[in-house]
Amino acid sequence: MNEIKKTAVVTGASQGVGREISLILAEKGWNVVVVARSVDKLSALKKDILQDFSDCKVYECPCDLSASDGPDKVLDFCKNNSLTVDLLINNAGSGLFGESVELGDSVLPMLNLNVTALTRMCSLFGKEMKTRGSGSILNIGSIAGNQPSSYFASYAATKSYVFNYSLALRHELGRYGVNVTLVQPGYIRTSFDNGCGITSEKYKKFSYNNGMTAKAVAKCAVKSVLKKRAYVRAGLRNKLIAFFCGLLPKNFLAWVMAKSVWSMTKESLTKSN
């Protein structure tokens, strides 16, 4: 008798950490539903997975999760394909850099994606897992969510939400046999900085030198959720940073963060005003 393979939904799967997570899960024998906006990148990912893991089933689900009906479309896609989702990975997210009062309403799509879409995905798929009495949810947060981060104020606040929401949800769903895991990376060597609108080469160099590869973060994330950990800071450097920052008064920490980012980006910030 053939063993029934488990199925995972991976959002933000077209590049970076999401792409690497999809590859790792396929290698471990999972079927994957890959979700992202780019049809071409999803097709390329499917081709790469099937080239190395031909027994894996890959379902492409092109979708903009920042749209109000995005999460519902993903759920409908899974139902239409008769898929039971054993693992939901909320990796999709975006950032925005700049002075908060200058960014204005441009932060709203990010808030929708990082907070509303993630919450809705957890609600929709978590309810099915609760009814079934099994399943896991992995939310990708950020160590930025552990402290106020000037010039990334809204982004960091969304990741603070993800941190607290994930831990609370873990204890709500745990009694029904459903696991929730949070992973907090720090800097990652991806296109995130460019996507945020950062132009400072000094900051980008700092970010790269202190960053982990997407593959390393993905390995940590998959390992953590399969072991049903509560939350994990990816990488020793980030564990140490989180520990020592936790010892500092929040207002002092906010001042340090503001001074640090300003020193690296003041030229680009001044030009944008």
Side-chain angles (χ1 to χ4, degrees), residues 74-216:
V74 178
L75 181 65
D76 290 342
F77 177 89
C78 293
K79 288 183 175 180
N80 292 338
N81 285 277
S82 301
L83 299 174
T84 298
V85 176
D86 303 284
L87 172 59
L88 167 65
I89 298 180
N90 285 310
N91 168 71
S94 64
L96 203 56
F97 170 78
E99 294 183 330
S100 296
V101 296
E102 300 298 334
L103 293 174
D105 288 349
S106 65
V107 302
L108 296 180
M110 179 189 68
L111 297 181
N112 288 335
L113 181 59
N114 293 7
V115 174
T116 306
L118 179 141
T119 305
R120 185 72 177 143
M121 290 288 285
C122 287
S123 175
L124 292 172
F125 287 92
K127 187 172 183 178
E128 293 205 333
M129 292 176 182
K130 173 186 172 182
T131 300
R132 197 169 66 240
S134 65
S136 280
I137 296 172
L138 167 64
N139 291 331
I140 303 297
S142 169
I143 62 168
N146 297 329
Q147 65 271 326
S149 300
S150 294
Y151 310 108
F152 295 96
S154 295
Y155 169 74
T158 67
K159 293 304 182 178
S160 178
Y161 173 90
V162 172
F163 176 80
N164 288 288
Y165 174 76
S166 298
L167 290 183
L169 186 64
R170 174 182 176 85
H171 294 285
E172 289 183 17
L173 292 179
R175 66 178 65 250
Y176 302 105
V178 180
N179 170 66
V180 180
T181 296
L182 170 76
V183 170
Q184 291 185 312
Y187 294 109
I188 312 175
R189 293 174 181 174
T190 64
S191 59
F192 179 82
D193 288 349
N194 290 331
C196 283
I198 297 173
T199 59
S200 167
E201 293 302 323
K202 185 176 182 180
Y203 182 92
K204 289 181 181 179
K205 183 178 180 180
F206 176 85
S207 173
Y208 182 87
N209 290 339
N210 289 277
M212 296 174 66
T213 65
K215 187 172 184 178

Side-chain angles (χ1 to χ4, degrees), residues 60-73:
E60 299 171 66
C61 180
C63 180
D64 181 2
L65 285 174
S66 65
S68 60
D69 60 347
D72 294 276
K73 286 183 176 179

Side-chain angles (χ1 to χ4, degrees), residues 5 22-30 46-58:
K5 299 181 71 170
S22 301
L23 290 165
I24 291 170
L25 289 173
E27 183 179 8
K28 290 182 177 293
W30 287 69
K46 180 177 181 177
K47 181 179 178 181
D48 289 343
I49 290 176
L50 295 181
Q51 181 176 318
D52 294 327
F53 314 107
S54 57
D55 60 336
C56 174
K57 290 184 179 180
V58 182

